[in-house]
Structures are given as C-alpha cells and as structure tokens.
Amino acid sequence: MALSSSSLFSTLNTTSSLPHFHAPKLSSSSHFPTKPSTTHLPLSHKWRAKVSFFPSFLKKRKDAKIIKEELLQAIEPLDRGADATLQDQETVDQIASELEAVSPIKEPLKSNLLGGKWELIYTTSQSILQTKRPKFFRSVANYQAINVDTLRAQNMESWPFFNQVTADLTPLNPRKVAVKFDTFKIGGIIPIKAPGRARGELEITYLDEELRVSRGDKGNLFILKMVDPSYRVPV
C-alpha cells in the first residue's frame, strides 16, 4: 500500500558458429600437387570472431543523473500521472526500473537521506490522483514525511482538503517496510483513529538526496522529490 495520503484516506552472446573448413582437392590432371586453397573468412566474420566477447564490457550502463533527467522529462507533462496513458505509464515504469538498477543507496532505511519532507510528483495510484473527481476538486499537491530515527511517517494533502495521516513503519528488510496507520486528521485538525485495516507495505527502490522511487504492495509506482530535509513528523 502506498504511503501517499489520498489512498490512505480511502482504505488506507548469442554465440556465432565457426565456419566449416574443407580439405583441399588435388587435380588429377596435374603431375604436381596443387597448392592447397585457403578458405578466407569475410572481414566481418573475422572481426566478429575477435570481438564477440566484448559487448558485455562495451555496453556501459547509463549514469543515474542521465536517467533521472529522462524520468523527470517523461513525467513533466503528465500532471503527476493523472493525464498518463497506459503507454505513458509503461514508459515511466521502464525508466524508473533503469534508475532503480543504479540506486546509490542499497539500504535506504538506514540512510539519513530518507528523512524529511517529500513531494509526490508522479504516481499510478488513481485513488491518490482522485481522477474520478473534477480537477478543481482534487488535491493540488501531496506530501510525505519520514523520521528515520523513530520510523514515523506522515502524509499530507494540500488545498482544498489539507487531510493528514500518520503511521508507524516496521522494517521487513533494509528497504521495505510494513505500514500501520494510526491517526487521520480531517482538514489537518479533526483527529480520527485509523481502522485496523489501514495498513500496507512500501518498498523504497531508489534513493538519493533529490529523488525517491517507491513501490507499493498494490503494484503502484510513486516518485517523489525532496522539498525539506529538515522537516520532522510531529510527535
């Protein structure tokens, strides 16, 4: 389950074969044996035979900075995902997967880079995007804050709702947590105890000082940017 606030409020090689060589034939009409003919490999075959083991070395992985730029460019016109077609979603997911493969932080739950306030800039979660509502009746922005030391999380909606929810995080492995929501705040003011079913899981698949990629237990993708590393979830 995603940690982003709106959904929380709803439920919370190939190898080339070698050419065949044939024994040279002697001419029956000649008293002297003819010089054996030499089978010549085409130049392309010779080159391929010599470098067939190179591709794994020559195929250099793209730098994380370049992939991040591609990802941000891909999601920029998508209104946080609300305007994304299925093809757009596939494209973003593919780029995100490339970025996940080069994540500099292998154990994000132990990294101070995780702490602070993050803004959701893309998701596939329709409940968070509130796509069934008119645009003027959707949250303008969604935020998520995490305290690394206390493993507390807070999700916040901006205007026009200002809803909030807080949760406890329990590590399942160095980058995945179980999420148990405890208190909703309607309008950021009125506290309501979260139902027992308001829980889920979240895996942090990419993390650096600027960007975070996460995947929820319902298959949704979440991309967030850091907006305030000094922010703390209130006690």
Side-chain angles (χ1 to χ4, degrees):
M1 178 182 293
L3 280 176
S4 302
S5 60
S6 298
S7 89
L8 306 181
F9 281 91
S10 60
T11 56
L12 236 62
N13 5 333
T14 55
T15 57
S16 57
S17 57
L18 293 174
H20 296 284
F21 290 88
H22 301 278
K25 295 182 179 180
L26 297 179
S27 172
S28 57
S29 60
S30 175
H31 296 286
F32 299 96
T34 58
K35 185 178 180 181
S37 60
T38 304
T39 304
H40 295 280
L41 286 174
L43 183 58
S44 60
H45 283 263
K46 289 182 178 180
W47 173 247
R48 190 177 300 119
K50 291 182 179 180
V51 302
S52 61
F53 60 93
F54 283 171
S56 60
F57 297 97
L58 297 177
K59 191 175 181 180
K60 187 177 180 180
R61 179 178 286 177
K62 282 192 291 187
D63 183 82
K65 183 178 180 180
I66 296 175
I67 303 175
K68 279 170 59 176
E69 291 174 355
E70 292 177 354
L71 184 61
L72 294 175
Q73 289 175 3
I75 67 179
E76 183 178 7
L78 302 180
D79 188 18
R80 298 188 303 156
D83 294 338
T85 64
L86 288 177
Q87 183 175 352
D88 290 330
Q89 291 180 354
E90 290 175 0
T91 298
V92 172
D93 192 273
Q94 180 178 351
I95 301 174
S97 295
E98 291 183 29
L99 189 60
E100 290 166 334
V102 295
S103 180
I105 308 299
K106 305 305 179 185
E107 297 185 343
L109 293 179
K110 297 180 180 180
S111 173
N112 289 331
L113 295 179
L114 181 61
K117 186 176 181 179
W118 300 83
E119 180 181 355
L120 182 71
I121 59 176
Y122 175 86
T123 184
T124 55
S125 172
Q126 299 305 301
S127 60
I128 290 177
L129 295 171
Q130 304 165 340
T131 51
K132 293 183 179 180
R133 299 179 182 179
K135 280 198 173 185
F136 66 85
F137 207 56
R138 302 175 189 173
S139 297
V140 175
N142 293 75
Y143 301 93
Q144 180 180 92
I146 296 177
N147 290 354
V148 178
D149 54 349
T150 61
L151 289 177
R152 287 285 289 168
Q154 177 189 26
N155 298 321
M156 299 157 277
E157 292 177 343
S158 67
W159 187 90
F161 304 108
F162 302 102
N163 293 323
Q164 298 180 15
V165 63
T166 50
D168 283 323
L169 308 178
T170 302
L172 299 177
N173 62 42
R175 66 179 198 171
K176 188 175 184 179
V177 293
V179 185
K180 185 179 184 301
F181 306 106
D182 45 47
T183 305
F184 295 111
K185 282 191 176 180
I186 306 302
I189 300 174
I190 305 172
I192 297 177
K193 184 178 180 180
R197 68 178 183 277
R199 59 180 66 216
E201 294 180 0
L202 188 74
E203 185 172 15
I204 301 161
T205 53
Y206 179 87
L207 176 67
D208 65 22
E209 65 277 3
E210 301 172 331
L211 201 71
R212 172 159 63 91
V213 179
S214 299
R215 294 184 184 268
D217 56 350
K218 295 187 182 299
N220 286 309
L221 174 66
F222 305 91
I223 301 174
L224 306 93
K225 69 176 181 180
M226 172 58 72
V227 292
D228 185 359
S230 66
Y231 184 90
R232 296 280 300 176
V233 177
V235 178

PDB file of all heavy atoms in Angstrom, residues 22-38:
ATOM      1  N   HIS A  22      37.119 -27.152 -45.421  1.00  0.00           N
ATOM      2  CA  HIS A  22      37.156 -28.371 -46.219  1.00  0.00           C
ATOM      3  C   HIS A  22      38.583 -28.675 -46.647  1.00  0.00           C
ATOM      4  O   HIS A  22      39.357 -27.759 -46.933  1.00  0.00           O
ATOM      5  CB  HIS A  22      36.284 -28.221 -47.468  1.00  0.00           C
ATOM      6  CG  HIS A  22      34.840 -27.932 -47.140  1.00  0.00           C
ATOM      7  ND1 HIS A  22      33.960 -28.918 -46.797  1.00  0.00           N
ATOM      8  CD2 HIS A  22      34.168 -26.756 -47.085  1.00  0.00           C
ATOM      9  CE1 HIS A  22      32.776 -28.378 -46.554  1.00  0.00           C
ATOM     10  NE2 HIS A  22      32.880 -27.058 -46.726  1.00  0.00           N
ATOM     11  N   ALA A  23      38.936 -29.969 -46.718  1.00  0.00           N
ATOM     12  CA  ALA A  23      40.276 -30.368 -47.153  1.00  0.00           C
ATOM     13  C   ALA A  23      40.455 -29.999 -48.616  1.00  0.00           C
ATOM     14  O   ALA A  23      39.548 -30.157 -49.425  1.00  0.00           O
ATOM     15  CB  ALA A  23      40.455 -31.871 -46.983  1.00  0.00           C
ATOM     16  N   PRO A  24      41.656 -29.509 -49.030  1.00  0.00           N
ATOM     17  CA  PRO A  24      41.903 -29.129 -50.422  1.00  0.00           C
ATOM     18  C   PRO A  24      41.916 -30.352 -51.334  1.00  0.00           C
ATOM     19  O   PRO A  24      42.327 -31.435 -50.936  1.00  0.00           O
ATOM     20  CB  PRO A  24      43.276 -28.460 -50.367  1.00  0.00           C
ATOM     21  CG  PRO A  24      43.917 -29.056 -49.147  1.00  0.00           C
ATOM     22  CD  PRO A  24      42.820 -29.291 -48.165  1.00  0.00           C
ATOM     23  N   LYS A  25      41.447 -30.177 -52.565  1.00  0.00           N
ATOM     24  CA  LYS A  25      41.419 -31.260 -53.555  1.00  0.00           C
ATOM     25  C   LYS A  25      42.625 -31.161 -54.490  1.00  0.00           C
ATOM     26  O   LYS A  25      43.033 -30.080 -54.885  1.00  0.00           O
ATOM     27  CB  LYS A  25      40.136 -31.184 -54.375  1.00  0.00           C
ATOM     28  CG  LYS A  25      38.881 -31.437 -53.536  1.00  0.00           C
ATOM     29  CD  LYS A  25      37.645 -31.392 -54.413  1.00  0.00           C
ATOM     30  CE  LYS A  25      36.386 -31.658 -53.588  1.00  0.00           C
ATOM     31  NZ  LYS A  25      35.182 -31.611 -54.448  1.00  0.00           N
ATOM     32  N   LEU A  26      43.228 -32.349 -54.882  1.00  0.00           N
ATOM     33  CA  LEU A  26      44.342 -32.373 -55.835  1.00  0.00           C
ATOM     34  C   LEU A  26      43.790 -32.575 -57.232  1.00  0.00           C
ATOM     35  O   LEU A  26      42.853 -33.333 -57.457  1.00  0.00           O
ATOM     36  CB  LEU A  26      45.301 -33.529 -55.494  1.00  0.00           C
ATOM     37  CG  LEU A  26      45.999 -33.432 -54.130  1.00  0.00           C
ATOM     38  CD1 LEU A  26      46.882 -34.656 -53.933  1.00  0.00           C
ATOM     39  CD2 LEU A  26      46.826 -32.162 -54.060  1.00  0.00           C
ATOM     40  N   SER A  27      44.401 -31.875 -58.143  1.00  0.00           N
ATOM     41  CA  SER A  27      43.954 -32.005 -59.537  1.00  0.00           C
ATOM     42  C   SER A  27      44.488 -33.315 -60.116  1.00  0.00           C
ATOM     43  O   SER A  27      45.680 -33.602 -60.061  1.00  0.00           O
ATOM     44  CB  SER A  27      44.486 -30.816 -60.368  1.00  0.00           C
ATOM     45  OG  SER A  27      44.218 -31.019 -61.726  1.00  0.00           O
ATOM     46  N   SER A  28      43.620 -34.153 -60.702  1.00  0.00           N
ATOM     47  CA  SER A  28      44.036 -35.443 -61.255  1.00  0.00           C
ATOM     48  C   SER A  28      44.834 -35.287 -62.538  1.00  0.00           C
ATOM     49  O   SER A  28      45.554 -36.170 -62.948  1.00  0.00           O
ATOM     50  CB  SER A  28      42.789 -36.305 -61.548  1.00  0.00           C
ATOM     51  OG  SER A  28      41.920 -35.614 -62.431  1.00  0.00           O
ATOM     52  N   SER A  29      44.754 -34.123 -63.179  1.00  0.00           N
ATOM     53  CA  SER A  29      45.455 -33.917 -64.453  1.00  0.00           C
ATOM     54  C   SER A  29      46.831 -33.325 -64.259  1.00  0.00           C
ATOM     55  O   SER A  29      47.558 -33.110 -65.202  1.00  0.00           O
ATOM     56  CB  SER A  29      44.622 -33.004 -65.365  1.00  0.00           C
ATOM     57  OG  SER A  29      44.435 -31.751 -64.737  1.00  0.00           O
ATOM     58  N   SER A  30      47.199 -33.003 -63.030  1.00  0.00           N
ATOM     59  CA  SER A  30      48.484 -32.353 -62.788  1.00  0.00           C
ATOM     60  C   SER A  30      49.452 -33.344 -62.172  1.00  0.00           C
ATOM     61  O   SER A  30      49.075 -34.199 -61.381  1.00  0.00           O
ATOM     62  CB  SER A  30      48.281 -31.152 -61.861  1.00  0.00           C
ATOM     63  OG  SER A  30      49.526 -30.602 -61.525  1.00  0.00           O
ATOM     64  N   HIS A  31      50.776 -33.225 -62.597  1.00  0.00           N
ATOM     65  CA  HIS A  31      51.811 -34.089 -62.022  1.00  0.00           C
ATOM     66  C   HIS A  31      52.258 -33.590 -60.661  1.00  0.00           C
ATOM     67  O   HIS A  31      52.944 -34.279 -59.942  1.00  0.00           O
ATOM     68  CB  HIS A  31      53.037 -34.157 -62.952  1.00  0.00           C
ATOM     69  CG  HIS A  31      52.705 -34.797 -64.271  1.00  0.00           C
ATOM     70  ND1 HIS A  31      52.492 -36.157 -64.413  1.00  0.00           N
ATOM     71  CD2 HIS A  31      52.543 -34.250 -65.491  1.00  0.00           C
ATOM     72  CE1 HIS A  31      52.234 -36.425 -65.684  1.00  0.00           C
ATOM     73  NE2 HIS A  31      52.253 -35.280 -66.359  1.00  0.00           N
ATOM     74  N   PHE A  32      51.970 -32.329 -60.446  1.00  0.00           N
ATOM     75  CA  PHE A  32      52.385 -31.755 -59.169  1.00  0.00           C
ATOM     76  C   PHE A  32      51.145 -31.414 -58.349  1.00  0.00           C
ATOM     77  O   PHE A  32      50.135 -30.962 -58.905  1.00  0.00           O
ATOM     78  CB  PHE A  32      53.218 -30.480 -59.401  1.00  0.00           C
ATOM     79  CG  PHE A  32      54.460 -30.739 -60.186  1.00  0.00           C
ATOM     80  CD1 PHE A  32      54.478 -30.540 -61.575  1.00  0.00           C
ATOM     81  CD2 PHE A  32      55.615 -31.198 -59.547  1.00  0.00           C
ATOM     82  CE1 PHE A  32      55.622 -30.788 -62.289  1.00  0.00           C
ATOM     83  CE2 PHE A  32      56.762 -31.437 -60.286  1.00  0.00           C
ATOM     84  CZ  PHE A  32      56.775 -31.230 -61.654  1.00  0.00           C
ATOM     85  N   PRO A  33      51.217 -31.649 -57.089  1.00  0.00           N
ATOM     86  CA  PRO A  33      50.057 -31.305 -56.256  1.00  0.00           C
ATOM     87  C   PRO A  33      49.815 -29.803 -56.253  1.00  0.00           C
ATOM     88  O   PRO A  33      50.767 -29.013 -56.237  1.00  0.00           O
ATOM     89  CB  PRO A  33      50.457 -31.799 -54.863  1.00  0.00           C
ATOM     90  CG  PRO A  33      51.946 -31.805 -54.865  1.00  0.00           C
ATOM     91  CD  PRO A  33      52.343 -32.148 -56.273  1.00  0.00           C
ATOM     92  N   THR A  34      48.621 -29.472 -56.390  1.00  0.00           N
ATOM     93  CA  THR A  34      48.294 -28.039 -56.371  1.00  0.00           C
ATOM     94  C   THR A  34      48.396 -27.522 -54.950  1.00  0.00           C
ATOM     95  O   THR A  34      48.271 -28.264 -53.981  1.00  0.00           O
ATOM     96  CB  THR A  34      46.860 -27.812 -56.890  1.00  0.00           C
ATOM     97  OG1 THR A  34      45.979 -28.567 -56.054  1.00  0.00           O
ATOM     98  CG2 THR A  34      46.730 -28.251 -58.329  1.00  0.00           C
ATOM     99  N   LYS A  35      48.619 -26.216 -54.852  1.00  0.00           N
ATOM    100  CA  LYS A  35      48.728 -25.583 -53.530  1.00  0.00           C
ATOM    101  C   LYS A  35      47.367 -25.585 -52.859  1.00  0.00           C
ATOM    102  O   LYS A  35      46.363 -25.229 -53.469  1.00  0.00           O
ATOM    103  CB  LYS A  35      49.230 -24.149 -53.691  1.00  0.00           C
ATOM    104  CG  LYS A  35      49.484 -23.449 -52.366  1.00  0.00           C
ATOM    105  CD  LYS A  35      50.025 -22.061 -52.599  1.00  0.00           C
ATOM    106  CE  LYS A  35      50.293 -21.355 -51.289  1.00  0.00           C
ATOM    107  NZ  LYS A  35      50.810 -19.993 -51.486  1.00  0.00           N
ATOM    108  N   PRO A  36      47.345 -26.073 -51.690  1.00  0.00           N
ATOM    109  CA  PRO A  36      46.050 -26.117 -51.004  1.00  0.00           C
ATOM    110  C   PRO A  36      45.400 -24.727 -51.003  1.00  0.00           C
ATOM    111  O   PRO A  36      46.068 -23.707 -50.796  1.00  0.00           O
ATOM    112  CB  PRO A  36      46.413 -26.546 -49.579  1.00  0.00           C
ATOM    113  CG  PRO A  36      47.740 -27.209 -49.709  1.00  0.00           C
ATOM    114  CD  PRO A  36      48.454 -26.512 -50.820  1.00  0.00           C
ATOM    115  N   SER A  37      44.113 -24.755 -51.288  1.00  0.00           N
ATOM    116  CA  SER A  37      43.387 -23.475 -51.281  1.00  0.00           C
ATOM    117  C   SER A  37      43.099 -23.084 -49.842  1.00  0.00           C
ATOM    118  O   SER A  37      42.912 -23.928 -48.980  1.00  0.00           O
ATOM    119  CB  SER A  37      42.065 -23.620 -52.046  1.00  0.00           C
ATOM    120  OG  SER A  37      41.262 -24.604 -51.434  1.00  0.00           O
ATOM    121  N   THR A  38      43.111 -21.827 -49.624  1.00  0.00           N
ATOM    122  CA  THR A  38      42.844 -21.309 -48.279  1.00  0.00           C
ATOM    123  C   THR A  38      41.473 -20.660 -48.241  1.00  0.00           C
ATOM    124  O   THR A  38      41.164 -19.825 -49.081  1.00  0.00           O
ATOM    125  CB  THR A  38      43.911 -20.265 -47.882  1.00  0.00           C
ATOM    126  OG1 THR A  38      45.191 -20.874 -47.987  1.00  0.00           O
ATOM    127  CG2 THR A  38      43.674 -19.777 -46.455  1.00  0.00           C
TER     128      THR A  38
END
